[in-house]
Amino acid sequence: MHMTHLASLLMKNSHGHFTRDQTKELRVLARKSVGTSDSALSIQITHSIAQIELLDSQLNKIEEEMTDIMKFNDSVIMTIPGIGYINGGMILGEIGNIHRFSSPGKPLAFAGLDPSVYQSGNFQTRRTMMSKRGSKVLRYALINAAHNVVKNNVTFKTYYDIKMAEGRTHYNVLGHCAGKLVRVI
């Protein structure tokens, strides 16, 4: 970059903290730093940045389409405060028809949020963990939705606080809130 352009850019963006002499020092330090003048590496970095930007734009397009589909379907799940179009779309996309599950415990198990049972003979553990047997996309969406619902709903916030007062960890409590959310759904 030309010295005059660099100096004016730094002067403007630093609100006058960088002088022309400091800009010269910074330029000398940059030349001596870890950087490289390898053109092949420069091309690789440029292509990697272009790929990241392409993936970002594709992701934004998909999220826009999901939002349009969720607005068109006008699902009841969108009435729950804290569930947005993307999370609602992920949940409905993974569950499909909610009526195929006969009880709230079944979609919970389908998501892998049910407790795993560990017992041997007469021994039965006191601490259980989620089984993680089911759909990881649904599990992610439900935990994420539970986190947002706890922020936006007084009932879920109270439930969260009660479970935290029992000495449980944050993610353990979010699992419980996700289970409550599945029952509501």
Side-chain angles (χ1 to χ4, degrees):
M1 187 179 289
H2 193 268
M3 189 64 185
T4 310
H5 181 65
L6 180 63
S8 67
L9 191 68
L10 285 174
M11 180 72 78
K12 179 184 171 193
N13 289 324
S14 69
H15 303 289
H17 292 295
F18 269 99
T19 63
R20 188 166 178 82
D21 293 334
Q22 288 174 318
T23 304
K24 286 180 184 177
E25 290 176 29
L26 188 62
R27 192 171 186 191
V28 169
L29 288 172
R31 282 191 179 139
K32 294 179 181 177
S33 72
V34 180
T36 181
S37 61
D38 186 11
S39 63
L41 185 60
S42 175
I43 291 170
Q44 283 180 338
I45 291 171
T46 306
H47 279 82
S48 294
I49 291 171
Q51 284 179 339
I52 290 169
E53 289 172 347
L54 174 68
L55 291 173
D56 261 354
S57 69
Q58 288 175 342
L59 186 62
N60 289 336
K61 238 183 241 182
I62 289 171
E63 286 179 353
E64 287 173 10
E65 288 179 23
M66 282 179 71
T67 302
D68 291 343
I69 290 169
M70 288 301 293
K71 284 179 181 177
F72 177 76
N73 286 339
D74 194 33
S75 175
V76 178
I77 198 170
M78 299 309 302
T79 61
I80 300 171
I83 293 185
Y85 292 113
I86 305 301
N87 246 349
M90 288 172 69
I91 292 169
L92 290 179
E94 284 293 310
I95 288 178
N97 184 2
I98 193 74
H99 299 292
R100 69 187 177 121
F101 299 106
S102 59
S103 69
K106 293 191 177 177
L108 200 65
F110 181 70
L113 288 170
D114 58 329
S116 62
V117 178
Y118 178 72
Q119 63 185 31
S120 175
N122 292 332
F123 173 76
Q124 202 166 14
T125 185
R126 282 194 259 160
R127 296 183 63 215
T128 58
M129 297 166 55
M130 71 173 77
S131 68
K132 295 185 180 180
R133 288 179 295 161
S135 167
K136 68 171 95 175
V137 174
L138 180 59
R139 186 168 49 253
Y140 167 80
L142 286 171
I143 294 289
N144 196 16
H147 187 262
N148 292 328
V149 170
V150 164
K151 290 180 186 177
N152 294 304
N153 188 304
V154 177
T155 306
F156 276 89
K157 175 67 174 147
T158 306
Y159 184 69
Y160 177 88
D161 292 338
I162 289 169
K163 290 294 183 183
M164 285 298 282
E166 292 176 3
R168 298 176 186 268
T169 64
H170 170 70
Y171 285 106
N172 183 287
V173 175
L174 280 182
H176 283 277
C177 291
K180 186 175 179 74
L181 181 62
V182 167
R183 288 188 294 277
V184 169
I185 292 172

